[in-house]
Amino acid sequence: MGKKLPAPRGGPVEIPVERARQLALECQGFRREARRTRPRKADIVRLVEKIGYLQLDPTNIVLRSHLLVLWSRMGEFDVGLVDQLLEKDKRLFEYWAHAAAIVPSADFAFHRHFMRNYSFPENGWGRRVRQWARQNSSLRHEILERLQKDGPLGLEAFEDREHTSWTSVGGPTGRNFSQMLFILWLKGKVAVTRRTSGRRVWDLAERHYSTMLPVQEVDPREGARRAVERAMGALGVATARMISQYGFAGHFGGVPKAIDDLVGDGRLAPVGLVGAPRRRSQTWYVRRDDLADLLGGEKRGNWNRSTLLSPFDNLIAHRGRAEALFGLRYRIEIYTPRSKRVLGYFALPVLAGDRIIGTVETELDRRRMKLAVHQGHPLSVGRSNDLEGKAVDRAVRGLAAFVGAREVVYGPRFPEAWARHLRNGPIDRTD
């Protein structure tokens, strides 16, 4: 992007937060205008490779998070393609990023490094897990033997017999098999081969990953460098902490040094954000090739789309970054007592153009196929306007059409400037 600039001297280069925000959206695969063609499997794979992962979460109030992340960027698509890519084509697979996630098979070598080197912490819960795993070594062998003989199998296929209870080391009751499967998954001994009604179906890793094996061992220093480059390609602008927590960066311990090396090589440049809603004391970084555009290069047009974001969307997963770039102070309130909720049980941020303008609390009534939107909150009190209200309605109706809702019903708790543009009633598929 743009021509290269000489190395900055005298401290970080100051860049407008508006341009940093636009770079972040571009790196996250948000299109400036709606797609005119229906996405294919190759489009999904390219997007996941670009942003690095799709976080998984069991919450399904409207739609599973990973599908919301894809929809917010690509528009309507055939959700069955994701299952095909995971189960048949194996161009995607489930593994651990900073949380359980769908990751691209192109990154298998970096995740394989983590599998081969994974160990629990020496202190605290890690010590308790190691103790429990030793006490239940027979359980480990039983799982692997069952999968070798009968797999793939769901959790329900295993019967919990006389093994030391996970409760004895601080975990919930009755999770012996699921806990051991999780440990074996992290260590690359078992794999998620598919899901049935949202539940994992397990198989031996060597069988499921057969098309990806063998892979050459990743040099840790090179892995850390690649992790930084990949994180910056997905984030655009970020602090060292944000980089170290993104994608497979957490698999490598040398990320801080890799950042310093890339700065020394002139590949990354330290910057400060001018006009950020919240200033952060840490140094931010951008790819050196992006600096020219950030410092006033020719803009490539405005974002004309409005959409809704999953609470676990990569764009806002780091809450401090979301606040610094977009002014969004967001907390998931699923586990907050009803009386203490502010934004609502399942509140989705509204992205309009290149700004996040607020949140809407949504819920899909699957029996009546009605999308209920209980309340909406603008990002800044008193700033809501007619354009924002229209953007909210477009985003809500777009989601309703995607999930197959026949109508939208708005609740009473919306700012007046939004409310007069919110359309209750049937979904017009041509809207």
Side-chain angles (χ1 to χ4, degrees):
M1 298 174 59
K3 64 181 182 180
K4 294 185 178 181
L5 298 179
R9 298 179 180 178
V13 176
E14 296 289 315
I15 61 174
V17 69
E18 294 84 1
R19 302 307 294 272
R21 191 162 59 227
Q22 292 164 0
L23 175 62
L25 289 169
E26 195 169 275
C27 289
Q28 275 293 308
F30 286 94
R31 301 174 66 89
R32 295 171 186 266
E33 296 183 352
R35 289 183 64 101
R36 297 184 180 181
T37 59
R38 196 170 180 84
R40 298 173 297 177
K41 285 193 286 188
D43 300 312
I44 295 173
V45 172
R46 277 194 294 269
L47 179 58
V48 180
E49 289 178 347
K50 181 179 181 65
I51 66 177
Y53 71 94
L54 303 172
Q55 183 172 336
L56 292 166
D57 187 84
T59 307
N60 195 17
I61 304 302
V62 176
L63 190 67
R64 294 285 299 280
S65 177
H66 62 287
L67 300 176
L68 268 173
V69 171
L70 293 174
W71 167 78
S72 68
R73 291 154 174 78
M74 307 177 74
E76 292 200 20
F77 68 98
D78 180 358
V79 298
L81 296 181
V82 178
D83 291 336
Q84 292 178 30
L85 288 166
L86 287 163
E87 299 170 18
K88 181 181 177 181
D89 303 335
K90 296 184 181 180
R91 297 183 66 186
L92 305 174
F93 68 102
E94 288 193 28
Y95 194 59
W96 190 263
H98 71 283
I102 293 172
V103 295
S105 297
D107 290 343
F108 183 76
F110 302 106
H111 294 288
R112 183 68 166 175
H113 172 85
F114 186 67
M115 295 174 188
R116 290 173 173 170
N117 295 279
Y118 184 80
S119 61
F120 289 98
E122 293 295 327
N123 300 316
W125 67 271
R127 182 171 57 207
R128 296 196 300 273
V129 172
R130 287 199 310 277
Q131 176 188 352
W132 177 83
R134 285 195 300 269
Q135 293 172 347
N136 288 278
S137 59
S138 61
L139 175 62
R140 176 181 183 274
H141 294 305
E142 180 181 342
I143 288 174
L144 295 176
E145 288 176 359
R146 282 288 311 280
L147 290 175
Q148 176 68 50
K149 178 183 177 182
D150 304 324
L153 297 171
L155 181 62
E156 67 280 357
F158 298 97
E159 295 178 358
D160 214 349
R161 293 191 284 275
E162 294 183 4
H163 302 285
T164 303
S165 173
W166 175 243
T167 309
S168 66
V169 289
T173 303
R175 293 185 61 196
N176 289 359
F177 276 99
S178 62
Q179 185 63 32
M180 184 60 78
L181 282 164
F182 180 73
I183 292 172
L184 292 172
W185 179 58
L186 289 179
K187 295 180 75 67
K189 302 300 183 183
V190 301
V192 180
T193 185
R194 65 177 184 275
R195 285 183 179 251
T196 303
S197 299
R199 297 183 178 182
R200 291 165 168 158
V201 176
W202 302 92
D203 198 3
L204 294 176
E206 61 186 21
R207 194 151 55 201
H208 184 68
Y209 296 145
S210 60
T211 58
M212 308 175 206
L213 295 172
V215 294
Q216 187 175 356
E217 186 73 27
V218 174
D219 177 77
R221 290 173 298 180
E222 178 61 22
R225 188 180 180 97
R226 288 288 300 278
V228 174
E229 292 172 341
R230 289 292 303 280
M232 288 305 301
L235 294 169
V237 56
T239 66
R241 183 175 179 83
M242 296 167 194
I243 295 168
S244 67
Q245 294 176 345
Y246 196 89
F248 60 77
H251 296 352
F252 297 92
V255 166
K257 185 178 187 308
I259 294 173
D260 290 341
D261 289 346
L262 287 165
V263 172
D265 294 344
R267 300 285 299 279
L268 293 182
V271 298
L273 302 184
V274 178
R278 178 187 173 191
R279 295 282 290 187
R280 299 181 69 86
S281 58
Q282 302 99 321
T283 300
W284 293 75
Y285 297 94
V286 300
R287 293 175 297 183
R288 187 129 193 88
D289 289 348
D290 290 334
L291 265 181
D293 284 346
L294 290 170
L295 292 173
E298 184 178 352
K299 293 179 65 174
R300 291 190 281 175
N302 295 321
W303 275 266
N304 297 318
R305 295 183 59 229
S306 58
T307 191
L308 303 178
L309 303 177
S310 161
F312 307 97
D313 194 289
N314 307 42
L315 184 70
I316 60 170
H318 191 290
R319 303 309 189 201
R321 183 171 181 271
E323 187 172 353
L325 291 180
F326 294 94
L328 175 68
R329 298 192 67 181
Y330 182 83
R331 299 294 181 271
I332 296 174
E333 297 179 348
I334 291 173
Y335 303 109
T336 303
R338 182 184 296 271
S339 62
K340 296 183 179 181
R341 291 174 191 156
V342 177
L343 302 180
Y345 184 85
F346 195 64
L348 307 183
V350 183
L351 178 66
D354 62 357
R355 294 189 302 117
I356 294 177
I357 60 175
T359 63
V360 290
E361 183 190 8
T362 57
E363 180 181 5
L364 179 61
D365 181 340
R366 290 182 169 84
R367 187 169 66 86
R368 298 182 177 87
M369 290 310 296
K370 175 180 67 178
L371 183 65
V373 191
H374 301 302
Q375 59 181 315
H377 295 270
L379 206 60
S380 299
V381 176
R383 200 189 68 185
S384 57
N385 56 47
D386 289 351
L387 290 178
E388 287 188 357
K390 293 177 181 178
V392 169
D393 190 64
R394 284 197 304 271
V396 165
R397 287 182 164 271
L399 177 60
F402 180 52
V403 299
R406 291 190 289 267
E407 65 175 323
V408 171
V409 178
Y410 289 100
R413 297 179 59 188
F414 287 88
E416 182 180 351
W418 285 12
R420 57 175 169 260
H421 296 285
L422 305 181
R423 297 169 290 167
N424 285 293
I427 297 298
D428 182 355
R429 302 289 168 177
T430 63
D431 194 358

